[in-house]
Amino acid sequence: NIFQIFKFFCCVYFKFMGNEWKGQLILGNVVASSSLKMVAKVPTKYGMRSVEFAGISKTPLILTACDDGNIRCWQSGGGEVPLVEKPVSILPGHGGYVKSLSLRGAKAVANGEQKGSTILLSSSSDTTIKLWDLRRSVQAVSTWDDHGHASEVEKVKWCKSQDLRSSFVSTGKDGFILAWDARFPKPTTGIRLGTEVSSVDTHPTTFNIVAGDLEGNVIEFDLRKLKIPVNETKKASKKEKKIDQTVKTMHSDKVTDIAFSSDGSLIASSSQDKTLRVFDSQSFMIKHEAKAGDFVSSVAWVEVEKNAGKLLSASWDGRIRLLQACK
């Protein structure tokens, strides 16, 4: 993940060693020379699968999704101790791997300033989604379990548009993309694809959603056109559930991550076919392609100062790369 304001990046990983999972939390900087500098590294006795920055300050909290069912909060510090080596708090509650995290976007306040959000979503292999208010408690505020996905919830993502601040989307191994309003116990609508939906992102200003699946396809659609109640979606035939969408095979293997650029004009996707692609969000025309030595597991836009138009990617060969995606 990228903390755009102060050019931090954070990466987590997990690896099976002996008979147990182990992980590592890495904090770094995108420096002025357009290169990367690692400033801290913390090994853990558990795997980690997702990371988020919380707070608008020079020392944000770092939230990690862990394989033991917990979310851990780490304090970045700067100076001689850029990262405290033990978590400052733990958010328990999931009964399986915590697979993804999503922090609601900053809210505009007076004088054009922004107020950092403390509202966090998490998804898990236990089939649940949880909502947390980091200011109030280490216990989840809400849990969605009975009316959502029938299997592991792969990804959860807040909608970024100011018109959809209480809305989020989730994807699962059951092939569903579900849309939710955090104020209600059931999803508002959804769509079923032909296979596991492995990644998802929301457009920064519109109602568009982009997702990637197990077979290398990328799907983009307008959330407003999903008018089918989710219980009807699950019963609908293929003919009945067609919606206006753009579908294109962008990779030859699983799409591991997908992300809109800050203006929504471009989409970046990574894959287990060892490639990263950047393409136009309307025409799907490929603008840039890069290859790695192993599965590319994640991708994030870097859009600060001279680094605008660059991407960070992480791959199974243990490398984090800074790439020029567009000029």
Side-chain angles (χ1 to χ4, degrees):
N1 198 1
I2 310 293
F3 188 61
Q4 303 283 8
I5 300 172
F6 297 105
K7 296 180 285 187
F8 291 141
F9 72 87
C10 198
C11 179
V12 294
Y13 88 94
F14 59 96
K15 185 177 182 180
F16 196 70
M17 300 178 66
N19 60 351
E20 60 184 354
W21 290 104
K22 292 188 177 181
Q24 199 166 69
L25 172 62
I26 297 169
L27 180 67
N29 284 122
V30 182
V31 296
S33 60
S34 297
S35 60
L36 305 178
K37 178 183 178 182
M38 185 171 66
V39 297
K41 181 169 63 174
V42 178
T44 64
K45 294 182 179 180
Y46 39 81
M48 295 178 285
R49 297 169 182 261
S50 181
V51 61
E52 284 277 352
F53 285 102
I56 299 180
S57 72
K58 292 184 178 180
T59 57
L61 278 178
I62 298 171
L63 312 173
T64 59
C66 304
D67 283 351
D68 60 2
N70 295 314
I71 299 167
R72 286 176 169 81
C73 306
W74 309 76
Q75 182 64 63
S76 61
E80 295 182 359
V81 186
L83 182 63
V84 178
E85 292 191 359
K86 292 185 178 180
V88 293
S89 62
I90 298 175
L91 281 58
H94 280 295
Y97 301 156
V98 185
K99 304 204 75 171
S100 73
L101 302 174
S102 181
L103 194 72
R104 190 159 67 180
K107 185 177 181 180
V109 294
N111 302 320
E113 296 181 357
Q114 289 187 323
K115 183 179 180 181
S117 175
T118 59
I119 308 301
L120 177 73
L121 288 169
S122 61
S123 69
S124 172
S125 62
D126 65 7
T127 75
T128 69
I129 299 169
K130 292 183 180 290
L131 183 142
W132 314 78
D133 187 339
L134 303 178
R135 296 170 301 179
R136 293 172 53 183
S137 172
V138 296
Q139 302 299 321
V141 176
S142 300
T143 299
W144 292 273
D145 51 6
D146 294 332
H147 306 287
H149 294 277
S151 59
E152 297 184 19
V153 187
E154 288 293 299
K155 301 288 183 180
V156 65
K157 184 77 70 171
W158 282 108
C159 293
K160 302 188 188 85
S161 169
Q162 291 297 312
D163 296 328
L164 294 169
R165 279 191 62 80
S166 65
S167 298
F168 64 92
V169 294
S170 62
T171 69
K173 287 197 171 185
D174 56 6
F176 277 96
I177 302 174
L178 300 180
W180 305 77
D181 186 317
R183 298 168 294 182
F184 301 105
K186 297 180 181 181
T188 55
T189 189
I191 179 175
R192 185 170 188 173
L193 305 181
T195 186
E196 172 189 326
V197 189
S198 51
S199 55
V200 70
D201 197 19
T202 60
H203 194 279
T205 58
T206 72
F207 294 82
N208 279 21
I209 305 295
V210 65
D213 71 15
L214 196 65
E215 297 176 352
N217 300 310
V218 172
I219 306 96
E220 186 177 9
F221 58 88
D222 188 326
L223 193 60
R224 294 170 298 181
K225 296 181 179 180
L226 292 182
K227 301 295 185 181
I228 312 169
V230 71
N231 59 337
E232 294 181 18
T233 304
K234 291 185 177 182
K235 298 175 183 178
S237 69
K238 291 184 179 180
K239 184 176 181 180
E240 292 171 329
K241 67 188 179 189
K242 284 185 178 179
I243 63 166
D244 185 13
Q245 58 184 300
T246 302
V247 182
K248 188 169 183 179
T249 301
M250 302 299 294
H251 296 277
S252 59
D253 206 334
K254 177 181 178 178
V255 180
T256 54
D257 200 7
I258 200 158
F260 278 107
S261 59
S262 62
D263 63 359
S265 64
L266 297 172
I267 298 170
S269 61
S270 59
S271 171
Q272 288 188 359
D273 67 3
K274 305 180 183 180
T275 67
L276 180 151
R277 289 192 168 96
V278 177
F279 49 96
D280 186 276
S281 62
Q282 294 186 345
S283 68
F284 273 39
M285 182 179 294
I286 295 175
K287 301 289 187 180
H288 180 77
E289 180 177 358
K291 295 184 178 181
D294 209 331
F295 297 164
V296 187
S297 56
S298 61
V299 62
W301 289 93
V302 184
E303 305 197 43
V304 272
E305 299 176 357
K306 296 180 181 180
N307 292 301
K310 288 185 170 65
L311 289 166
L312 274 182
S313 70
S315 55
W316 281 32
D317 58 9
R319 296 188 177 186
I320 302 170
R321 295 175 173 86
L322 180 64
L323 308 167
Q324 180 68 57
C326 57
K327 295 182 179 180

